[in-house]
Amino acid sequence: MKDEILRHLRYGLGKDAAHSSVYDWRMALSRALRDRMVDHWIPSTQEAYASGSKRVYYLSMEFLIGRLVEDMASNLGLVDEAKAALKELGQDYETIVKDEPDAALGNGGLGRLAACFMDSLATLGIPAMGYGIRYEHGLFEQDFVEGQQVERPETWLQQDHIWEFERPEVQYPITFGGHVEHHDGKAHWHPSETVIATAFDTPVIGWEGRWGNTLRLWAAMPTKVFDLASFNRGDYLAAGRSEALARTICRVLYPDDTTETGKELRLKQEYFFTSASIQDLLRRFLSTHADIRTLPDAAAIQLNDTHPAIAGPELVRVLVDKHELGMDEAIALARRCLGYTNHTLLPEALERWPEWLFGRVLPRHLEIIREIDADHLRRHEGAPKILDHGNVNMGELAFIMAHKVNGVSALHTDLVKKTVFNDLHKIHPQRIVNQTNGITQRRWLKTCNPALSGLITRELGNGWVTDLDLLSQLKSRTGDVAFKEEFVAAKRANKVRLANWVTETMGISIDPDAMFDVQIKRIHEYKRQLMNILETVALWNEMRAHPDAGWTPRVKIFGGKAAPGYHVAKEIIHLINDVAAVINSDEITKDLLKVVYPPNYNVTMAEVLIPAADLSEQISTAGKEASGTGNMKFALNGALTIGTLDGANVEIREHVGPENFFLFGLTAEEVMERRTQPGFARAAIEASPRLQRVLGQIVEGRFCPQDQGRYHGLVGMLYDSDYFLVTCDFDSYYDTQRRADEAYKNARNWAAMALVNTASMGFFSSDRTIKGYAHDIWHVGSRLGAGEE
Ligand SMILES: CCc1ccc([C@H](C)CC(=O)N[C@@H]2O[C@H](CO)[C@@H](O)[C@H](O)[C@H]2O)cc1
C-alpha cells in the first residue's frame, strides 16, 4: 500500500512526498484504494452480464452518501494497512480522512436510506444499479448568523471527485416540450428541447469486496456545446446559452424534503434522470435479450417515492412508440417491472403537478397518463384518478403503475392503507406490503464507532458485520459487570471525543459525564424540535429554582437544516440558538445544563454525534414520521430512546422491550381524536402551569430582549392551532424526561438498558430490509453462492 500511495502521489498528482498537501495524500490514498476496488468491481460487473441474472434498478432523486474513503477502506478490509502505510510515510490517517467533503446528494431520510440500500445490495451480492443525478451542488451548507440559518452553495465538485468514473460513451438524448402528432396509428413526439444525459459511475463494493455494484449518476450536457456564430457576433452569452441551460438541469439539489416545489425545473430533473435510466436499462436488456416482453424477468425497477414516478409512462412510451406494443400490453408489462416506496403521509409532500405545466414539459406522457387512467378506470369503476382537478397526482400514478407498493414501517404501512391510498387499497388489497427501513451496520457501527465495534468483535467475532442478529448474544451480558464497564468506557470515549470537538469548534465546554441528549434530523414542525426546546427551558427554570436538587446534568444537542423557504422551521432554529445563548451563559446552571447546536449537520457529523449519545430524541407527533432511521442508528450505538409510538419507534420498542424505552405521548389514533376537539391547544396550555410559564417567558422576549416580539407568532400559533400537538404531549414528555434523569443516575442499570438496545438491533439492518424487498417485490437472488452471504 505504501508504494501504491507513493506511485499515485508521483504519477497521479505529480508530487513528491515532501511537497504534498493533505489533499494530495488523500487523493493518493483514494487512488490506491480505488485500484483495489476496481479489481472487485469489474469481475462482478462481468459476472452480472454473463449470468444474465435479474437486476435491481433503484431510481432515486437522492443518494445521501457522505464520505467514502473510510467506508471503502473498511469494506475492503484495508483500514489497518492504510493506517500503517500512511504512518510510515509520516501521515495521519484521521487527518487525511477528515479532508474529504461529504457527497451530500440528498436532504435526509430518503436519500440516506438509498445509500444504505446500495451498501446492503452489494454486500448481499444482489446485482443492482442505483440511478440518480450528479448534482453540481448538493444540499446547501448551513451557517448561523446571529442564531439564524443562512445557506451557502455546497461545492463538493470543486475538487476532483476521485470515486467516480466518467462514461462519455454512455449518453442518451433527453427531450422536453414541443407537441405530439398522431398519424398512421402512431404517436410522434416533436420535442422543442433536447439535452444529453452522460453517465458518471461510482463503484459500490460490498463487505470484504465479494461483490460490486454501480451507482450511475447522470449529468446534463448540451447537444451543441458552443455557438461559435453568436460568439463571433460578440454575443458571448448566447454562445454559451445552450450549455448553461443544459447544466441548469443538474445544477443543484432541491433542498425541500417535505414540501413539493411545483417548480418546472424540478419536474425536468425528475424526467431527465428517469428517462436516461430507462433508456440505459433497456439498452442493457436488449443487448442480451431479443424479446422485450421478458423484461420483467430481467429488471426490477424500484421508485424511491414519487420523484421518479414518470418512469411508468416513460417505459410505456418506449414500449408503444418504439417497440410498437399495444397500450394495454405495455401498461401491464411496465407494471410487472415497477415497485413504488412511499416515504411520507404529509399532504404537502405528495407531488401533484398542474396538468398545464406537465403537458407543456411532457406532452406525450400526459397522453399516456390519460390512457393509463382510462385503462385502470375500465377495470375498476370509480377508482381514484391520476388526472384530477387539473392536477397530475404522482402518488396515484406510482400506485397504479406498480405491482407492489410499500410503506417503510409497520405503522406507516398501516396508515398508508387507511389514509392516503385507502381507496386504491380497497381495489388492490394485495398490492401494499410493508418493508420496515434499516441501516447499514458497516457505516453506522463498524466505521463510525470503532470503540464499541472493536469490543463487540472481540466478544463475538465479526460475523455481526454481515449478520446483525448475532448481536442478540450480547443480551446475556447485561449482568456481566466487567463487560458492561468496557461497554460504558467505549461510550465515554466517544463522549470525550465529541466534547473536545464541541470545545474546539464552538468554544463551549461540556461535561462528558453529563447525559448527552441528542436530536439530529431535518427541522420540521412534525419532528417537534420546538417541544424539545420548550422542555429545555422548563428544565432550566426548575434547575435555577432548585440548583441543589440533585439534578442529572444534561447536554442538549441539536443538529439539522431547515428548507430555505420554511420560515416556521427557521424560527425554531432561531429560538433554539437564542435559548442556548442565555442558558450557556447562566452561572447558576452552568454545570447542570448546556445547549449545543453545531451548524451544518450532515452524514459526517452524525457519525460523530451518534456514538456519543446517551438519549435519542424521537419525539414526532404520532402518525407523522413514516419510519425514521436515526432512531435505529442511536439504539445500535447504545443510546436509549425517548419517543412516541410513531414510525419505526413502535418496532424498536417491541425489539428492545418497553422497559428499555422511554415512551410518552398520544398515539396516532389519539392524535386524530384530539384534533377534533375545539381549542385543544389552549386547554392543554391552561392545564400546564409549567408550559404556560415557558411560553410566557418566550413571548416576553426572555431569550431575545433586544427583539421582544420575535416569537409572538410562534407562540400564538401554539395557542391557536398547534397542528402537531406540542401542547398536548408537553407534560408527558417533561415527566418522561425526568424519568430518564432518574434512570441515568443508576449507571449500571442504564448500561444494561443501553446494552439491550444495541443487542436488539439485528432486525434493523438494511440487509434484512433488502432481503425483504428481494423476496416480496423484486424476486431476485444473490450472486454469492448460498451460504456465502
Ligand atoms: C417533493 C419534495 C420532497 C422531497 C423528499 C421527500 C422525502 C420523502 C422526505 C423523506 O426523506 N422522508 C423520510 O423518509 C425516510 C426513509 O424512508 C423515513 O425514515 C422518514 O420517516 C421520512 O420522513 C418528500 C418530499
Side-chain angles (χ1 to χ4, degrees):
M1 174 76 79
K2 182 178 152 218
D3 299 340
E4 289 162 56
I5 293 173
L6 283 176
R7 183 168 50 78
H8 281 297
L9 205 56
R10 184 177 185 80
Y11 299 111
L13 290 131
K15 287 281 187 81
D16 65 354
H19 299 90
S20 291
S21 65
V22 170
Y23 171 82
D24 298 324
W25 285 108
R26 173 166 69 83
M27 282 306 167
L29 169 66
S30 303
R31 286 168 184 267
L33 289 171
R34 197 175 75 161
D35 292 355
R36 308 284 191 97
M37 204 170 47
V38 167
D39 289 339
H40 297 277
W41 188 30
I42 290 177
S44 301
T45 307
Q46 290 165 336
E47 184 185 326
Y49 259 103
S51 67
S53 54
K54 186 172 187 181
R55 292 164 192 255
V56 173
Y57 293 107
Y58 200 80
L59 273 58
S60 180
M61 279 282 273
E62 304 184 18
F63 288 93
L64 193 43
I65 299 164
R67 287 176 176 159
L68 279 170
V69 172
E70 272 193 295
D71 199 52
M72 291 289 184
S74 176
N75 274 4
L76 290 169
L78 295 170
V79 173
D80 297 341
E81 193 177 332
K83 282 182 177 171
L86 288 167
K87 196 161 192 300
E88 268 185 69
L89 295 162
Q91 301 303 314
D92 171 56
Y93 177 81
E94 302 301 334
T95 309
I96 285 169
V97 164
K98 282 196 177 71
D99 179 64
E100 183 183 7
D102 272 34
L105 308 181
N107 278 287
L110 171 140
R112 182 56 234 178
L113 186 82
C116 284
F117 278 9
M118 292 305 291
D119 180 73
S120 286
L121 283 160
T123 294
L124 292 170
I126 296 175
M129 189 168 259
Y131 280 124
I133 293 181
R134 183 179 182 267
Y135 299 104
E136 220 169 302
H137 303 284
L139 187 61
F140 64 85
E141 300 217 344
Q142 176 195 52
D143 208 344
F144 295 140
V145 176
E146 281 153 23
Q148 298 192 68
Q149 172 180 298
V150 292
E151 301 90 21
R152 271 200 312 271
E154 190 281 329
T155 56
W156 75 302
L157 285 181
Q158 266 179 2
Q159 29 178 263
D160 194 359
H161 177 47
I162 192 66
W163 305 111
E164 68 180 4
F165 294 83
E166 182 172 2
R167 298 290 190 229
E169 77 283 6
V170 181
Q171 296 196 336
Y172 300 96
I174 313 298
T175 55
F176 303 102
H179 67 283
V180 183
E181 287 169 7
H182 291 266
H183 44 78
D184 52 30
K186 283 174 63 77
H188 302 273
W189 180 16
H190 300 282
S192 59
E193 186 190 346
T194 302
V195 298
I196 303 297
T198 297
F200 286 76
D201 289 354
T202 298
V204 181
I205 304 301
W207 179 249
E208 290 180 339
R210 274 181 282 147
W211 187 261
N213 284 326
T214 300
L215 173 60
R216 178 160 281 184
L217 300 179
W218 300 101
M221 312 282 187
T223 49
K224 196 158 47 95
V225 274
F226 180 59
D227 181 349
L228 196 55
S230 308
F231 188 89
N232 294 340
R233 274 199 316 277
D235 187 346
Y236 305 128
L237 279 182
R241 203 176 109 71
S242 64
E243 182 176 18
L245 272 180
R247 281 182 63 187
T248 303
I249 290 181
C250 301
R251 185 83 75 178
V252 64
L253 165 76
Y254 270 90
D256 313 86
D257 79 331
T258 50
T259 312
E260 64 121 359
T261 58
K263 297 272 185 321
E264 179 172 325
L265 180 58
R266 168 81 180 190
L267 177 58
K268 291 176 90 172
Q269 286 186 338
E270 294 183 353
Y271 180 66
F272 169 79
F273 98 97
T274 301
S275 175
S277 307
I278 295 288
Q279 294 186 61
D280 190 48
L281 69 91
L282 283 176
R283 176 203 42 83
R284 185 174 302 104
F285 170 80
L286 292 168
S287 71
T288 52
H289 299 75
D291 181 1
I292 193 86
R293 289 176 178 77
T294 64
L295 181 66
D297 308 327
I301 304 169
Q302 192 65 28
L303 308 178
N304 201 15
D305 217 278
T306 59
H307 313 152
I310 193 68
E314 173 69 359
L315 196 43
V316 170
R317 180 182 74 87
V318 177
L319 293 172
V320 171
D321 296 357
K322 299 253 181 329
H323 296 273
E324 299 183 348
L325 266 66
M327 187 60 76
D328 299 3
E329 185 186 9
I331 293 171
L333 193 71
R335 183 176 293 121
R336 288 173 51 213
C337 297
L338 293 166
Y340 155 51
T341 303
N342 173 281
H343 295 268
T344 181
L345 297 172
L346 297 175
E348 67 268 27
L350 303 174
E351 295 186 295
R352 305 184 191 287
W353 294 102
E355 208 173 304
W356 63 266
L357 171 61
F358 197 98
R360 187 176 66 193
V361 176
L362 301 168
R364 177 60 181 142
H365 296 78
L366 185 57
E367 289 181 352
I368 290 170
I369 289 173
R370 283 207 183 85
E371 298 274 356
I372 293 170
D373 240 352
D375 170 82
H376 189 250
L377 283 165
R378 246 192 326 274
R379 298 165 197 277
H380 309 285
E381 204 194 324
K385 289 185 292 189
I386 303 165
L387 297 172
D388 200 27
H389 295 94
N391 281 324
V392 183
N393 300 311
M394 301 308 273
E396 277 69 16
L397 171 62
F399 190 108
I400 289 169
M401 280 309 293
H403 73 282
K404 279 282 182 257
V405 172
N406 75 282
V408 290
S409 76
L411 174 63
H412 171 64
T413 300
D414 201 40
L415 291 172
V416 165
K417 290 177 180 173
K418 287 191 182 124
T419 61
V420 66
F421 290 128
N422 183 251
D423 297 341
L424 284 166
H425 173 56
K426 287 198 186 96
I427 296 168
H428 304 283
Q430 308 308 319
R431 192 166 292 183
I432 299 179
V433 295
N434 180 49
Q435 301 295 345
T436 296
N437 280 166
I439 57 168
T440 169
Q441 65 266 30
R442 272 79 61 188
R443 181 178 289 266
W444 296 108
L445 181 53
K446 175 86 177 117
T447 302
C448 76
N449 195 342
L452 177 55
S453 59
L455 174 64
I456 293 171
T457 297
R458 194 200 67 202
E459 290 298 310
L460 307 179
N462 74 351
W464 61 272
V465 178
T466 51
D467 180 0
L468 201 57
D469 288 330
L470 292 172
L471 288 189
S472 59
Q473 298 168 53
L474 295 174
K475 284 181 186 164
S476 64
R477 305 301 176 86
T478 51
D480 177 337
V481 176
F483 180 77
K484 271 199 302 189
E485 263 155 24
E486 291 186 271
F487 181 78
V488 169
K491 176 62 73 179
R492 194 169 193 292
N494 292 321
K495 293 174 75 174
V496 169
R497 175 178 65 162
L498 176 58
N500 295 338
W501 179 76
V502 168
T503 307
E504 268 159 44
T505 57
M506 303 181 74
I508 301 172
S509 70
I510 57 175
D511 168 9
D513 293 322
M515 183 202 292
F516 282 12
D517 168 354
V518 183
Q519 186 173 23
I520 48 177
K521 51 190 72 218
R522 289 294 295 256
I523 309 297
H524 197 286
E525 289 164 89
Y526 86 82
K527 295 173 185 281
R528 300 203 289 191
Q529 284 91 353
L530 180 55
M531 186 169 72
N532 188 339
I533 198 67
L534 294 179
E535 188 271 339
T536 305
V537 173
L539 173 61
W540 181 58
N541 287 337
E542 292 298 314
M543 285 176 163
R544 279 174 66 82
H546 316 284
D548 312 320
W551 293 99
T552 294
R554 267 205 197 216
V555 178
K556 283 266 183 182
I557 301 172
F558 291 86
K561 295 172 178 175
Y566 191 176
H567 301 298
V568 175
K570 286 185 153 179
E571 274 202 302
I572 292 168
I573 290 177
H574 201 178
L575 176 61
I576 296 169
N577 284 323
D578 276 350
V579 168
V582 170
I583 290 181
N584 293 346
S585 58
D586 181 2
E587 274 308 306
I588 299 172
T589 57
K590 70 178 177 357
D591 300 328
L592 297 176
L593 183 60
K594 286 282 175 56
V595 181
V596 175
Y597 191 171
N600 205 37
Y601 170 67
N602 59 15
V603 170
T604 294
M605 192 187 291
E607 291 171 5
V608 175
L609 293 175
I610 289 171
D614 298 302
L615 192 67
S616 156
E617 297 271 355
Q618 309 299 333
I619 61 175
S620 52
T621 312
K624 292 298 173 191
E625 189 69 86
S627 164
T629 44
N631 45 10
M632 301 163 186
K633 295 162 188 167
F634 278 107
L636 181 62
N637 284 274
L640 300 186
T641 303
I642 182 164
T644 52
L645 280 178
D646 196 18
N649 292 358
V650 175
E651 291 155 86
I652 290 174
R653 185 168 172 269
E654 283 162 8
H655 280 84
V656 303
E659 69 284 5
N660 299 306
F661 188 104
F662 296 106
L663 178 71
F664 77 95
L666 300 170
T667 63
E669 284 78 29
E670 290 164 341
V671 165
M672 313 250 230
E673 193 281 323
R674 182 65 65 90
R675 276 219 193 98
T676 63
Q677 296 171 15
F680 66 82
R682 199 168 285 280
I685 296 169
E686 268 139 27
S688 169
R690 181 177 287 119
L691 178 56
Q692 257 175 64
R693 178 172 176 217
V694 169
L695 295 178
Q697 289 169 296
I698 292 171
V699 90
E700 285 148 18
R702 176 72 179 78
F703 302 101
C704 52
Q706 75 290 3
D707 176 10
Q708 300 263 330
R710 180 174 294 172
Y711 298 112
H712 281 199
L714 195 61
V715 173
M717 187 189 69
L718 278 181
Y719 271 88
D720 304 336
S721 56
D722 188 21
Y723 184 77
F724 296 103
L725 285 82
V726 166
T727 58
C728 305
D729 274 348
F730 179 81
D731 278 343
S732 78
Y733 177 54
Y734 182 89
D735 296 342
T736 308
Q737 287 284 20
R738 300 297 75 78
R739 274 201 298 123
D741 276 344
E742 288 317 303
Y744 191 75
K745 285 178 180 154
N746 180 336
R748 279 242 176 106
N749 191 42
W750 184 278
M753 293 198 288
L755 183 53
V756 171
N757 270 266
T758 295
S760 311
M761 280 306 110
F763 176 79
F764 299 98
S765 169
S766 47
D767 299 350
R768 182 271 313 154
T769 311
I770 289 294
K771 284 176 188 167
Y773 279 85
H775 183 270
D776 305 344
I777 302 175
W778 303 331
H779 313 297
V780 294
S782 158
R783 296 304 312 160
L784 296 177
E788 267 195 51
E789 269 164 57

